[in-house]
Amino acid sequence: MTSNPPTPLAALMPQPSLPATARLPLNRCNLPPVILGSLTFQQHPVPLEIDGVPTFHAKLFSALDLLATHGERAQLFTDYMTAHFCLEALEEAGLTPGRRKKKRANANYLRLVRGWSFDSDGREGAVLKHWVETRFGLLARHHGGCLYEPDSEAYHRYLAEGAKGLYATNALEAQLDLLYTYCQYELFRQHKDEAHLTLYRGINRFDEHEVLERRRGGRYRVLLNNLNSFTTDRERADEFGDYILEAAIPLPKIFFYNRLLPGLLKGEDEFVVIGGVYEVGISTF
């Protein structure tokens, strides 16, 4: 009788999971945080859906199905956002006319993604990271400092900036829900036969990320912040750090990319990626 070769020890080891300290017990999508934030999800992604959003906006997506070009769909989406959320008629959304009108008008989904591009540790970044926490259950790990300790100054500053960014706004988190859902719709149309995109991120220090496991060949299993900037251009990533982090990013983990809305944002190669546990490669250019 021929015996089977022994199973490699590495294959018997449990896959790194999302630590309990990096997740909430509940979220507002179709998979719990412990699953969507795990290494298994990176390896075998499935679509993510924020509760009720595709159904509530079904007419928008039916209309998008009829349009052949990305530019036409982007125009319809921005027009729909303007009309549905009364972005150019804020009194209809309940705004009392007065000195705060201009500030309130600027507090929309475009302002947030522009603000992220300028400073991911600013007020807009705090709002976006808070949105990821509530929708996907993945806790922010960094915002102008480590957020591991709830009593730390950085954590209290993060909470304050997020609260200020959401105060007196017009369904801002609902705008982000629809932006993510449209992004997923567009990615599916453009990448029907793909589950991942290879993206790059420049880093200055390896300890910017929480390393869960070191592997051979410059491979690591790391816990990323709950929201991160990546790029499709490896040379561009090199401008932002001495090391380049390369990862296969599941399409459902892409919150937004600048080409999604042509002409409205600069930095066309930026992708904003939802975090969790990832296997990555780290190298110098």
Side-chain angles (χ1 to χ4, degrees):
M1 175 182 290
T2 302
S3 60
N4 293 324
T7 303
L9 181 60
L12 299 174
M13 298 297 289
Q15 299 277 14
S17 183
L18 183 68
T21 54
R23 65 180 191 258
L24 295 172
L26 298 172
N27 60 15
R28 301 183 190 180
C29 74
N30 57 317
L31 285 180
V34 68
I35 294 177
L36 70 86
S38 69
L39 180 65
T40 300
F41 186 89
Q42 184 200 14
Q43 296 169 338
H44 307 286
V46 297
L48 296 177
E49 181 177 305
I50 298 175
D51 294 343
V53 176
T55 302
F56 188 76
H57 298 282
K59 290 184 178 179
L60 167 64
F61 293 101
S62 295
L64 290 169
D65 286 340
L66 302 176
L67 301 178
T69 70
H70 171 62
E72 290 176 309
R73 295 191 295 272
Q75 186 61 59
L76 176 59
F77 172 76
T78 54
D79 290 345
Y80 181 91
M81 292 289 281
T82 299
H84 183 80
F85 292 103
C86 304
L87 298 182
E88 294 180 356
L90 293 172
E91 289 82 359
E92 296 180 15
L95 175 67
T96 301
R99 295 176 61 186
R100 296 193 52 143
K101 180 175 180 179
K102 188 175 187 302
K103 288 185 178 180
R104 172 102 179 245
N106 287 335
N108 58 44
Y109 70 105
L110 287 174
R111 174 66 177 269
L112 288 181
V113 294
R114 288 186 183 119
W116 171 272
S117 295
F118 285 114
D119 181 10
S120 61
D121 286 333
R123 180 178 297 183
E124 291 85 359
V127 173
L128 290 172
K129 292 169 187 174
H130 172 79
W131 174 81
V132 173
E133 290 185 345
T134 59
R135 270 46 181 180
F136 300 100
L138 305 179
L139 293 173
R141 308 295 287 168
H142 187 279
H143 186 80
C146 291
L147 302 181
Y148 306 161
E149 299 296 333
D151 292 331
S152 68
E153 180 180 345
Y155 187 78
H156 287 292
R157 184 170 60 250
Y158 164 66
L159 292 180
E161 289 183 349
K164 290 177 181 178
L166 286 173
Y167 177 73
T169 57
N170 178 22
L172 192 51
E173 290 182 306
Q175 294 180 40
L176 297 177
D177 293 344
L178 188 50
L179 177 63
Y180 169 77
T181 305
Y182 171 63
C183 177
Q184 290 300 302
Y185 172 90
E186 195 62 38
L187 284 170
F188 177 77
R189 288 196 65 162
Q190 296 184 30
H191 303 275
K192 287 185 178 180
D193 299 323
E194 300 176 65
H196 301 81
L197 292 179
T198 299
L199 300 178
Y200 306 93
R201 174 177 171 83
I203 58 176
N204 285 314
R205 301 187 315 276
F206 186 67
D207 60 5
E208 290 178 11
H209 299 85
E210 299 173 67
V211 178
L212 304 180
E213 183 181 338
R214 297 174 184 265
R215 299 175 67 80
R216 295 179 179 177
R219 306 292 295 177
Y220 299 83
R221 290 173 175 176
V222 300
L223 174 60
L224 296 182
N225 202 6
N226 72 345
L227 204 61
N228 312 267
S229 287
F230 279 79
T231 177
T232 56
D233 187 340
R234 197 176 192 277
E235 292 186 12
R236 178 68 172 162
D238 186 51
E239 298 175 9
F240 292 90
D242 299 324
Y243 299 91
I244 295 176
L245 185 152
E246 176 184 333
I249 303 296
L251 296 184
K253 285 286 194 79
I254 298 174
F255 160 59
F256 179 80
Y257 60 100
N258 284 8
R259 292 179 185 267
L260 182 66
L261 301 175
L264 295 179
L265 296 166
K266 298 180 180 179
E268 292 184 342
D269 294 316
E270 182 177 10
F271 282 67
V272 185
V273 172
I274 297 165
V277 179
Y278 286 83
E279 181 164 317
V280 303
I282 297 180
S283 62
T284 57
F285 188 75

